[in-house]
Amino acid sequence: MRLSIERKPVKVYPDPKRVIARFFYNGDDRAKDVIRHVIALSEKEVFSIISPLLQEYSKRHRNITKILNKHCKKIRSCIEECGIDYDTLDKYQKLLIGSYFTHEYSIESAAFFNPSIIEDPDQTDLVSGEKRVIISFRAVGEGHISSVVFRRALIDKHNNIKVIEAGDYIDEAEVIKNAVYNKKLFLKKAADANINALVLDEIDGRLQDKFDYSVLRRLVIDSQNLTDDDMKKLEYDKVLWLSDTYHEISFSRDTDISDRIIFPISEFERKGIEDARFVRFTKEDGSIIYYATYTAYDGAMIMPKLLQTTDFYDFKVSPLHGAGARNKNLALFPRKINGKYVMMSRIDGVNNYLMYSDKITIWDNPVILQQPKFTWEFIQIGNCGSPIETEDGWLVITHGVGPMRRYVLGVSLLDLDDPSKEIGRLLEPLLIPNDDEREGYVPNVLYSCGSIIHNNELIIPYGLSDYCSSFATVKLDELLSKLKSQDCSL
């Protein structure tokens, strides 16, 4: 007998009105033409154009003048190549030039899906039975570029879910490149990214075992200046692009959680940041930190990466290393087990693997945990977020792909002390796309990146056909009883 699932009457849809102001550039020659046109305008003409622009776009962006000035500064070299002293430009000329190198990008214009839910660090002023949560989503805009966005929600004592309305503005974070790199790990990741071996050998001979971004940048620029080979220069660029995958980002303290977007920063994630799996991680000293594994995609190569934060304002970003840090579907357990970090992965695209590590960024020796067993998962099985601890074992929401590439959700139970032991697995899917859920950006797909237990129910946020998102709940006692039954026993 199938378990009873309650689908909540809550849907979170993409909103094309949510836009960010991005840098827009069409090459040096066209940029210089635009600059010359603007410089030829009189002071009165400049003001007559920029003044209404500022009035219009200040209603759409928190600090549009700051953005325009930043974009003007990005093309300072082009301005000076036109024979213009950048420092002599007045404030309105800089703003107008910046506006010609700015465009709006709608981050949710195509889809809003694959949610992950975790407990909000702020649980103040709630009544008994309530919980405040943060939900991350994969937002997709023009060109299928994915980013990570957030919403705050409140779950009441009856597990009704109210998603708080988003704010009026969206802010990108300030990027801080202050990482100290481990040369061995950095060069190994560069080799995995297929950067030219001769270039890497040269860099290897000129770097210390530990180095920072400024040292690497000077080395790359010096090396590029010594060659006329454009292809070799590109390989050096790739080294800098890889260094961009290690960074910190910081959001303004006057932003709401719904204002914050983690948008692709480096060239190695220029085609999207996909499927962040957030987990509330309890350290051995009892302190809490939030981690998220996600997939960076450059259009050809997948790079698993790790986010970490304590407050959702400041994030540290780094790639994951090792033989187990491949492909998609990495999900971290919410605490160490027997003194080691534990991660699930799907390195071959088909099976679920388990890995242990002393270091949270290095993952080797993956061992198969689960293989497709039932008809609805013959193509592949994978996790749908970090395992959830219960008294009876680790609860793992899985996705299975079957006929017609239909994605459904299943559930497994792993041993608490040895998660390589699978106690039980549902014989049938827990959640299947119904007639109202099967149409969308990618038909016949249900997918989740992280669930939560509250008031003795498992709450699963899930994406509907890669278009919008909703929620489903199942009684925890009934689910665990089913998983421990003789029918599901493994």
Side-chain angles (χ1 to χ4, degrees), residues 102-218:
T102 303
H103 75 124
E104 287 189 325
Y105 182 86
S106 176
I107 61 169
E108 301 172 15
S109 59
F112 199 73
F113 58 112
N114 293 1
S116 172
I117 187 171
I118 49 168
E119 182 178 309
D120 193 316
D122 177 16
Q123 295 295 317
T124 59
D125 301 324
L126 299 179
V127 301
S128 178
E130 290 183 336
K131 186 179 288 290
R132 190 177 289 116
V133 294
I134 292 173
I135 311 169
S136 68
F137 296 88
R138 177 179 170 186
V140 177
E142 177 188 355
H144 197 78
I145 297 175
S146 302
S147 55
V148 177
V149 297
F150 304 96
R151 295 289 190 275
R152 184 171 272 114
L154 184 67
I155 308 174
D156 71 14
K157 63 182 180 181
H158 303 295
N159 278 358
N160 297 311
I161 301 167
K162 180 182 179 182
V163 179
I164 309 302
E165 188 174 343
D168 294 329
Y169 299 103
I170 307 174
D171 269 20
E172 292 185 75
E174 177 187 358
V175 180
I176 306 163
K177 298 179 182 178
N178 61 358
V180 174
Y181 307 96
N182 177 303
K183 183 172 74 170
K184 181 179 178 181
L185 291 176
F186 182 84
L187 293 178
K188 175 65 170 63
K189 205 67 180 180
D192 290 344
N194 298 316
I195 297 175
N196 183 277
L198 293 176
V199 167
L200 296 183
D201 287 343
E202 180 188 335
I203 289 174
D204 186 8
R206 297 175 62 189
L207 286 174
Q208 301 293 322
D209 289 341
K210 302 281 187 180
F211 60 94
D212 63 21
Y213 178 81
S214 61
V215 169
L216 181 66
R217 188 173 184 275
R218 284 197 301 270

Side-chain angles (χ1 to χ4, degrees), residues 388-448:
I388 303 170
E389 187 168 6
T390 73
E391 291 182 357
D392 295 303
W394 295 103
L395 204 58
V396 179
I397 314 303
T398 63
H399 71 266
V401 185
M404 301 300 293
R405 198 174 171 265
R406 184 180 69 168
Y407 278 65
V408 299
L409 303 189
V411 185
S412 299
L413 189 65
L414 310 179
D415 186 85
L416 269 183
D417 297 318
D418 183 3
S420 66
K421 296 178 181 178
E422 188 176 14
I423 297 169
R425 193 190 306 187
L426 291 186
L427 307 183
E428 297 177 319
L430 181 70
L431 204 60
I432 298 172
N434 63 24
D435 288 343
D436 295 328
E437 299 171 336
R438 64 181 303 179
E439 311 296 351
Y441 196 51
V442 182
N444 304 310
V445 172
L446 292 188
Y447 199 85
S448 178

